[in-house]
Amino acid sequence: MTYSGFRVIREALRGDLGWGPAWRDADPKDHYDVVIVGGGGHGLATAHYLASRYGVTNVAVIEKGWIGGGNVGRNTTIIRSNYLLDGNEPFYEMSLKLWEGLEQDINYNAMVSQRGIINLIHSDAQRDAFIRRGNAMILNGADAELLDEAAMRREYPWLNYEDARFPIKGGLAQRRGGTVRHDAVAWGYARAADRRGVDIIQNCEVTGFRTKNGNCLGVDTSRGFIGAGKVGVAVAGNSSRVMALAGMRLPIESHVLQAFVTEGLKPILPGVITFGAGHFYVSQSDKGGLVFGGDIDGYNSYAQRGNLPVVEDVCEGGMAIMPMIGRARLLRMWGGIMDMSMDGSPIIDRTHIDGLYLNAGWCYGGFKATPASGLAFAHLLATNAPHDTAKAYRLNRFETGHMIDEKGMGNQPNLH
Ligand SMILES: Cc1cc2nc3c(=O)[nH]c(=O)nc-3n(C[C@H](O)[C@H](O)[C@H](O)COP(=O)(O)OP(=O)(O)OC[C@H]3O[C@@H](n4cnc5c(N)ncnc54)[C@H](O)[C@@H]3O)c2cc1C
């Protein structure tokens, strides 16, 4: 069924009785050309691009829970491509371009909203660093705009400019950045992949990999063995746990990150803003809630829930730039598990086992990468060669020292 305005009107007139399920509830077959482990945004996008761009349709996506139950449905929905390093910027810019055409591509309203993102500047040194980053973005075909304090005051008059511990001196804006409704991305990719014949198998946990003479033959699951020509793993916060089943120890730590939503407020925040002297980022949802987040909880965990000390820390960040946020009541909060790599950049690569491929290490920033990650992983699975924009995301860079240390923090996942 193709979604269209006409269809919406037609269904509205007949009690919405004509809608079918958005994707089939498939039973596992004995064998697939490609099995993707993890039905998050990256796994589903990979399946969609494998089928739509590379003609590989004998594909299964295996999800231990339900579609949208992982980080793809837990993040703060921010998309952007404001990176500095060559290893990253072309990849994230490709992702932003894919977001721009996504809804037409998958015939699904994912509420892609290019409302703009502004990183606040609080010191002269930070302005210099942001100018450098803005120039790197422009050189890679992205958009960037430096705002002085007067421009900031025009756009966001209610931010705390006077009397502030960290005065706001300007901002680095990317107007094409913004937000996307996160779970709609999972549903949209799932539906688009299913329409091309991909089996989406929920409530099916991968419990092991079968290998013979260094080749991956398939996966053991809670619903039996599923044979595969190739297996791609995209399980985000569970990467280290799942790859341990194949005998691999990854340069990844799992950490909790929380997100928060206030009660609905009148429109106040036209775009996304991020605090530059602490960790706080905020946007306003179409329902009026302020959606915000900050630092990770700071200890390793696989539990999808957070703790109170970080709530205080994040709210302090919010109060520092917009004190009136203290009047808003917090409605909901939740946690997700981040796969924090040692340099803060992702991994899209083959492994030492033939036929076993890895997509991991997305840290805080994997949602905006969803389309590019799916396309690059599909390219790798289909051709055995890395996509042009993902050539730096090799697993062995942690052995050879070719880190993509965007933040310049070194081997400290808690700082990325
Ligand atoms: C609170 C929070 C806020 C965030 N904010 C942003 C943001 O604003 N912008 C941004 O770009 N990024 C953000 N991120 C990061 C982003 O959400 C993640 O990097 C990205 O969603 C991870 O990829 P995914 O969607 O494929 O992961 P997931 O949705 O987590 O998918 C992985 C799936 O693998 C499944 N799985 C695990 N183990 C197995 C197994 N053994 N067998 C089968 N299936 C298995 C899981 O159930 C899960 O559904 C945020 C994350 C969190 C938690």
Side-chain angles (χ1 to χ4, degrees):
M1 178 198 305
T2 300
Y3 293 155
S4 66
F6 170 72
R7 180 98 209 182
V8 170
I9 294 167
R10 189 166 156 228
E11 289 306 327
L13 294 175
R14 49 181 212 159
D16 283 316
L17 296 174
W19 302 116
W23 62 85
R24 291 166 298 128
D25 189 14
D27 283 324
K29 291 193 286 200
D30 291 343
H31 191 277
Y32 292 91
D33 292 339
V34 178
V35 160
I36 295 162
V37 186
H42 293 221
L44 293 164
T46 305
H48 166 66
Y49 292 117
L50 265 175
S52 66
R53 303 240 180 155
Y54 297 93
V56 185
T57 54
N58 186 19
V59 176
V61 177
I62 301 186
E63 166 55 47
K64 77 171 174 183
W66 66 97
I67 297 305
N71 288 350
V72 69
R74 290 169 184 267
N75 61 69
T76 37
T77 77
I78 300 168
I79 61 164
R80 56 188 173 85
S81 71
N82 51 5
Y83 282 72
L84 170 72
L85 299 182
D86 283 344
N88 280 330
E89 180 58 18
F91 176 84
Y92 285 100
E93 177 54 20
M94 176 174 84
S95 208
L96 200 47
K97 290 204 169 78
L98 288 168
W99 283 118
E100 287 169 339
L102 181 76
E103 290 165 318
Q104 287 68 33
D105 183 17
I106 61 176
N107 180 228
Y108 203 88
N109 179 11
M111 295 166 70
V112 177
S113 166
Q114 292 182 287
R115 55 185 69 183
I117 178 167
I118 298 180
N119 300 141
L120 298 179
I121 295 172
H122 305 276
S123 70
D124 294 342
Q126 193 169 38
R127 183 185 299 110
D128 288 347
F130 280 16
I131 289 172
R132 182 173 174 231
R133 179 144 60 94
N135 284 335
M137 290 162 65
I138 290 167
L139 284 172
N140 279 295
D143 63 306
E145 188 184 333
L146 189 70
L147 304 177
D148 59 14
E149 188 185 324
M152 281 306 306
R153 280 178 185 268
R154 274 196 301 278
E155 286 192 40
Y156 288 89
W158 42 264
L159 284 174
N160 193 9
Y161 296 90
E162 281 121 34
D163 235 10
R165 169 78 177 82
F166 302 103
I168 297 164
K169 291 173 176 272
L172 177 66
Q174 183 175 33
R175 304 290 183 193
R176 289 164 55 246
T179 58
V180 182
R181 179 166 174 192
H182 50 194
D183 33 22
V185 173
W187 301 330
Y189 272 125
R191 176 173 169 277
D194 174 89
R195 290 179 93 198
R196 290 182 187 267
V198 171
D199 281 357
I200 294 167
I201 303 164
Q202 301 181 77
N203 297 312
C204 182
E205 179 170 1
V206 168
T207 53
F209 297 91
R210 277 203 208 165
T211 58
K212 193 173 174 191
N213 301 329
N215 290 304
C216 188
L217 305 179
V219 289
D220 285 309
T221 76
S222 51
R223 293 170 69 175
F225 174 72
I226 302 174
K230 293 178 178 176
V231 176
V233 176
V235 293
N238 282 282
S239 297
S240 41
R241 220 155 40 172
V242 170
M243 294 314 281
L245 300 172
M248 290 179 66
R249 189 159 173 254
L250 298 181
I252 283 178
E253 284 185 11
S254 287
H255 285 268
V256 183
L257 178 67
Q258 301 189 55
F260 309 86
V261 180
T262 69
E263 60 191 327
L265 305 171
K266 287 184 180 168
I268 173 101
L269 251 177
V272 182
I273 48 176
T274 73
F275 182 28
H279 214 162
F280 178 79
Y281 34 91
V282 61
S283 65
Q284 188 166 19
S285 80
D286 293 349
K287 285 188 281 184
L290 297 180
V291 181
F292 58 92
D295 262 323
I296 53 177
D297 273 29
Y299 56 90
N300 301 142
S301 173
Y302 291 109
Q304 290 190 129
R305 60 175 181 273
N307 284 298
L308 285 172
V310 169
V311 180
E312 187 180 10
D313 180 69
V314 173
C315 292
E316 269 173 14
M319 292 289 288
I321 53 170
M322 43 193 293
M324 81 296 202
I325 201 176
R327 304 284 295 275
R329 275 170 296 203
L330 204 58
L331 206 63
R332 299 186 286 132
M333 55 195 270
W334 61 86
I337 305 302
M338 321 298 323
D339 40 336
M340 304 292 291
S341 67
M342 293 296 138
D343 60 358
S345 293
I347 297 157
I348 303 178
D349 203 358
R350 298 189 291 188
T351 68
H352 69 286
I353 299 171
D354 271 348
L356 181 61
Y357 301 75
L358 176 66
N359 174 315
W362 293 100
C363 306
Y364 292 77
F367 178 64
K368 68 173 118 58
T370 305
S373 165
L375 182 57
F377 203 35
H379 183 91
L380 179 67
L381 282 159
T383 66
N384 251 354
H387 190 273
D388 267 352
T389 59
K391 282 190 170 143
Y393 297 152
R394 305 300 304 271
L395 187 51
N396 72 354
R397 71 177 186 269
F398 301 97
E399 279 169 13
T400 60
H402 294 92
M403 311 285 260
I404 316 163
D405 192 356
E406 182 78 30
K407 280 196 170 177
M409 301 286 199
N411 285 358
Q412 251 178 291
N414 56 316
L415 296 179
H416 286 293

